[in-house]
């Protein structure tokens, strides 16, 4: 259990948050990372092959 | 009872309507069109799975209450499960809605599917917000005092007071989740009634 606590120390949560200021846009780095991950997930969902895609063709 | 009388009963009329719009093979279909075998179609059901986890963990939090989720390690764990399921819920819902937006999935009489999606999204934002202010810690105090002026400026403050913990908790664990679940059910039933929207080319009949 103790080593799990030391792992948590890798992410300092006692500081002020980090923010991106870009003109009228003002957002936290955490939210920015989530938005980037959503965009990457969206692109991956469009291009990664779906398993079993050819199953129906084979059975025909 | 005459046949005409039976035909006029609301039970008879409702059964015929439901059976006409949603016969069992449409409600629980065996197969889907070939174009549905893409990862982009997985995000709707991922959203349902995350929502189920949110509700399950929320039920456990409701059973044991705030003292428990603030002070015991299993309480912290269930609390975190609740929060992280919400994160996955919104993540999946946003990818889902982008997918539907770029497919223009409201085509072919599916506008109500889109609209119920939009309203579910708004209800979910409200559920998340009332959840943040129901935590009973410094974070929830901070969020509610930051939010009150904005919300009161809209006039909603006269009936919806973000500083009223009892009210916020009841919106969070009764009214809004109920709305989200009912809306999601209608949303998915509408998808079943209409069937998955064909790709643009198919509509013009140009693909195989
Ligand atoms: C609680 C949130 C939601 C859940 C659980 C949910 C679930 C689903 C599911 C399971 C499907 C069918 C499978 C699929 O295509 O993924 C679907 C379809 C659809 N969703 Fe959602 N959805 C949600 C939110 C939204 C939002 C926010 C929008 C858009 C504003 C939206 C728009 C649509 C549309 C237009 C379809 C129909 C696609 C078609 O007919 O081909 N949904 N949804």
């Amino acid at each position: 259990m103790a080593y799990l606590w030391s792992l948590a120390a890798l992410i300092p949560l006692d500081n002020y948050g980090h923010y991106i200021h870009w003109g009228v846009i003002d957002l936290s780095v955490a939210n920015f990372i989530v938005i980037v991950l959503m965009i990457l997930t969206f692109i991956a969902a469009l291009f990664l092959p779906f398993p079993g895609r050819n199953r129906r063709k084979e059975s025909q | 009872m005459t046949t005409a009388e039976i035909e006029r009963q609301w039970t008879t009329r409702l059964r015929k309507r439901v059976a006409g719009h949603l016969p069992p093979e449409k409600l629980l279909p065996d197969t889907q069109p070939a174009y549905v075998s893409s990862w982009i179609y997985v995000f709707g059901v991922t959203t349902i799975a995350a929502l189920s986890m949110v509700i399950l963990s929320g039920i456990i939090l409701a059973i044991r209450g705030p003292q428990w989720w603030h002070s015991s390690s299993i309480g912290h764990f269930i609390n975190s499960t609740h929060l992280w399921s919400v994160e996955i819920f919104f993540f999946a819902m946003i990818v889902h809605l982008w997918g539907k937006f770029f497919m223009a999935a409201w085509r072919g009489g599916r506008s109500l599917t889109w609209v119920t999606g939009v309203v579910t999204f708004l209800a979910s934002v409200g559920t998340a917000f009332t959840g943040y202010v129901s935590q009973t810690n410094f974070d929830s105090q901070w969020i509610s005092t930051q939010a009150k002026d904005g919300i009161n400026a809209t006039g909603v403050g006269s009936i919806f007071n973000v500083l009223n913990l009892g009210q916020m908790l009841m919106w969070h664990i009764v009214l809004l989740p109920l709305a989200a679940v009912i809306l999601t059910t209608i949303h998915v039933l509408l998808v079943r009634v209409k069937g998955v929207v064909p790709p643009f080319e198919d509509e013009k009949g140009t693909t195989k």
Side-chain angles (χ1 to χ4, degrees):
Chain A
M1 199 60 209
Y3 79 96
L4 280 182
W5 285 114
S6 54
L7 263 184
L10 282 175
I11 306 160
L13 292 172
D14 283 343
N15 298 327
Y16 292 111
H18 299 282
Y19 282 81
I20 295 169
H21 307 279
W22 192 26
V24 290
I25 295 169
D26 222 356
L27 86 166
S28 70
V29 172
N31 281 343
F32 178 72
I33 292 171
V34 174
I35 293 168
V36 170
L37 286 177
M38 287 193 299
I39 294 171
L40 291 179
T41 309
F42 180 71
I43 295 169
L46 294 185
F47 291 106
L48 285 185
F50 191 74
R53 210 195 151 95
N54 298 316
R55 210 173 36 213
R56 201 169 309 155
K57 278 194 205 128
E58 280 159 20
S59 62
Q60 267 170 9
Chain B
M1 228 195 271
T2 64
T3 339
E5 274 172 335
I6 290 178
E7 289 296 313
R8 258 209 330 271
Q9 288 185 128
W10 72 265
T11 46
T12 315
R13 280 181 289 136
L14 184 65
R15 186 187 66 242
K16 289 197 169 157
R17 261 192 89 178
V18 170
H21 284 293
L22 210 60
E25 57 282 5
K26 256 183 148 183
L27 179 64
L28 296 167
D30 301 320
T31 55
Q32 287 288 350
Y35 52 78
V36 177
S37 58
S38 154
W39 283 109
I40 200 65
Y41 289 95
V42 170
F43 289 92
V45 75
T46 310
T47 315
I48 295 182
L51 180 60
S52 311
M53 283 305 290
V54 171
I55 290 169
L56 202 72
S57 52
I59 288 173
I60 302 175
L61 292 176
I63 291 172
R64 300 302 305 267
Q67 279 78 13
W68 174 77
W69 80 60
H70 284 312
S71 58
S72 73
S73 51
I74 182 85
H76 286 150
F77 177 75
I78 300 294
N79 195 161
S80 301
T81 307
H82 193 63
L83 172 78
W84 285 103
S85 308
V86 171
E87 302 282 337
I88 296 171
F89 170 77
F90 275 97
F91 191 105
M93 180 163 47
I94 301 287
V95 177
H96 171 71
L97 105 77
W98 285 345
K100 299 307 160 192
F101 177 78
F102 287 108
M103 291 178 210
W106 50 78
R107 285 172 295 140
R110 292 176 181 78
S111 50
L112 255 187
T113 316
W114 176 263
V115 170
T116 48
V118 173
V119 182
T120 314
F121 182 71
L122 295 178
S124 309
V125 170
T127 317
F129 172 71
T130 50
Y132 284 122
V133 299
S134 299
Q135 294 175 91
T136 64
N137 58 13
F138 287 129
D139 191 32
S140 56
Q141 287 188 14
W142 169 259
I143 294 168
S144 52
T145 47
Q146 293 301 299
K148 71 175 175 23
D149 296 332
I151 287 188
N152 291 350
T154 66
V156 177
S158 61
I159 51 163
F160 184 87
N161 177 5
V162 293
L163 297 180
N164 182 345
L165 173 64
Q167 187 188 22
M168 290 306 107
L169 185 62
M170 284 196 266
W171 276 77
H172 182 67
I173 70 172
V174 181
L175 302 177
L176 289 167
L178 199 64
V181 169
I182 292 173
L183 285 163
T184 304
T185 310
I186 298 172
H187 183 72
V188 176
L189 288 180
L190 282 170
V191 176
R192 290 307 200 207
V193 169
K194 289 283 173 185
V196 181
V197 73
F200 286 107
E201 297 91 322
D202 249 17
E203 225 179 11
K204 290 183 239 130
T206 48
T207 45
K208 67 246 123 76

